[in-house]
Amino acid sequence: MSAPVPPGPRFAVVGNPGNRRVALFGDAVSAAGLPAPRLVPWRDVLRGGGADFAADEIVRVDSPGEDDEVDRLLRGTDDPTRVEGSARWYARFTAAVRGLRGGSRLDDPDDLAVLFDKRRCHAVLDAAGIPVPASPTSGPGAAPVRGWDDVRALMRDHRMHRLFVKPAHGSSASGVLAVESGGGGRIRATTSVERAPDGRLYNSLRVRRYDREQDIAAIVDALAPDGLHLERWLPKASQDGRAADLRVVVVAGRATHAVVRTSRFPLTNLHLGGSRGDLDAARRAVEAAGARWADVLGVCERAAACFPRTLCVGVDLLPAVGWRRTAVGEVNAFGDLLPRLTGLPGSGAEGLDTYAAQVAAVLHDRHRTGTPHA
């Protein structure tokens, strides 16, 4: 007699009502023939000091973004377009995650604490032998960055004429500056940060360039109290004359989905004017350079393996000029928002979007072991 099949799981999602991420995951759960997930609003978690879950609930933590009230509770500002406040956001977000009690978690609190600190995440990846851009602000002996003067000193000491200056706890390119220096003291920063006349910083959907050092210094000095991470700017491969990188989604240890992102700017985020490139062309370019596409995906899987208690991450992969070598730029806890994209051939997620792939992974793990991913 065959062993009894465990009953279907019950999902719960910590998210924002009406958010597209919550809706897409709910659609995936329903498509699998399961009851709709129980939604626990972020605003209730933040106001109530946590939330409780039943022992048999499988709990997914989703992004707290795109909700003005939640952003105000996390960052303490009435304007969701403001850049400052990321350190406060991080402290309150990680505390809230640790206030979730019971259930089986698809996102580990310790993993999330590392994933949302670029300095710590970079150090973890580097220690595991994952190729990453050189950085003086992560790992043993990490240098503090108290403002522009420190950035200038680190640029000189580490011979970084081109670098990225990133808020340690930022996301979606918020506050990121691509800085390049030249002869005669020339310097330029490319960023989506808009600096108001009163010195406040705002996120913009328009990428702009600052060519006066005093403007760049003012932005960095305003961001520094929240924590900054510096990385060497690696020249990236191109596709159709545009800078290109990849977002690779890894589910349960396997690279399942990938997109190429291209832009005429160093910031390739799609919401900043980047566009999806040709993934097949990228694969052919990798193979024409003498590398293996499986190895490219393998780098992403190795990066995800640094966070084994989290079901799904999105890896930003930086292909070097010529497409032969790659480095991991970031690992994103909420990097699975790629609507209508189906799985890679041979990934086991063919025909599934990123959310359906995660539901399928939970069901497979539960059927195999009798317990969900944890």
Side-chain angles (χ1 to χ4, degrees), residues 321-370:
V321 172
W323 291 94
R324 184 173 177 82
R325 294 178 293 104
T326 59
V328 172
E330 295 186 11
V331 181
N332 305 273
F334 304 136
D336 54 3
L337 183 61
L338 298 171
R340 299 179 299 280
L341 182 71
T342 54
L344 295 165
S347 68
E350 298 89 340
L352 304 178
D353 68 11
T354 59
Y355 300 98
Q358 292 171 67
V359 173
V362 171
L363 295 177
H364 176 268
D365 194 50
R366 182 181 175 90
H367 179 79
R368 180 173 58 83
T369 67

Side-chain angles (χ1 to χ4, degrees), residues 90-283:
Y90 176 78
R92 293 179 177 177
F93 170 75
T94 52
V97 168
R98 296 189 187 283
L100 304 177
R101 300 172 291 269
S104 298
R105 295 285 299 279
L106 300 183
D107 317 85
D108 179 73
D110 292 335
D111 284 353
L112 290 175
V114 174
L115 288 166
F116 280 99
D117 187 324
K118 290 179 171 56
R119 299 162 301 191
R120 295 178 63 190
C121 186
H122 185 282
V124 166
L125 295 171
D126 193 34
I130 310 299
V132 289
S135 170
T137 55
S138 77
V145 182
R146 294 155 296 203
W148 179 245
D149 288 344
D150 286 343
V151 173
R152 267 302 208 179
L154 290 168
M155 290 173 66
R156 180 184 63 251
D157 295 345
H158 293 267
R159 298 183 180 180
M160 291 193 301
H161 304 299
R162 303 171 82 233
L163 75 158
F164 282 91
V165 180
K166 302 179 178 182
H169 310 299
S171 61
S172 301
S174 174
V176 174
L177 295 92
V179 178
E180 46 195 327
S181 59
R186 291 179 294 109
I187 195 157
R188 180 170 70 181
T190 304
T191 180
S192 62
V193 173
E194 180 179 359
R195 184 170 180 262
D198 63 3
R200 296 183 180 186
L201 307 182
Y202 295 87
N203 284 307
S204 170
L205 294 179
R206 182 173 73 85
V207 176
R208 65 198 69 221
R209 288 191 169 103
Y210 293 92
D211 296 302
R212 297 197 313 164
E213 184 162 0
Q214 57 262 47
D215 293 332
I216 300 169
I219 293 172
V220 171
D221 287 345
L223 292 173
D226 282 323
L228 291 174
H229 175 58
L230 311 185
E231 289 182 351
R232 187 178 298 278
W233 179 345
L234 302 179
K236 288 194 285 192
S238 63
Q239 189 174 95
D240 296 329
R242 294 160 62 93
D245 61 20
L246 293 93
R247 165 64 61 83
V248 179
V249 176
V250 181
V251 177
R254 192 166 189 180
T256 56
H257 299 73
V259 293
V260 177
R261 306 181 301 185
T262 71
S263 177
R264 58 191 180 93
F265 299 111
L267 307 175
T268 59
N269 300 69
L270 300 180
H271 73 284
L272 296 179
S275 59
R276 289 191 184 185
D278 187 330
L279 186 64
D280 287 337
R283 178 182 54 77

Side-chain angles (χ1 to χ4, degrees), residues 74-100:
L74 286 170
R75 292 199 301 129
T77 177
D78 288 329
D79 190 337
T81 65
R82 288 283 298 279
V83 179
E84 302 96 329
S86 59
R88 185 182 298 114
W89 183 99
Y90 176 78
R92 293 179 177 177
F93 170 75
T94 52
V97 168
R98 296 189 187 283
L100 304 177

Side-chain angles (χ1 to χ4, degrees), residues 12-17 38-45 50-53 100:
V13 177
V14 181
N16 292 326
R38 179 170 74 95
L39 176 61
V40 179
W42 267 114
R43 59 174 175 262
D44 293 349
V45 172
D52 293 290
F53 299 88
L100 304 177

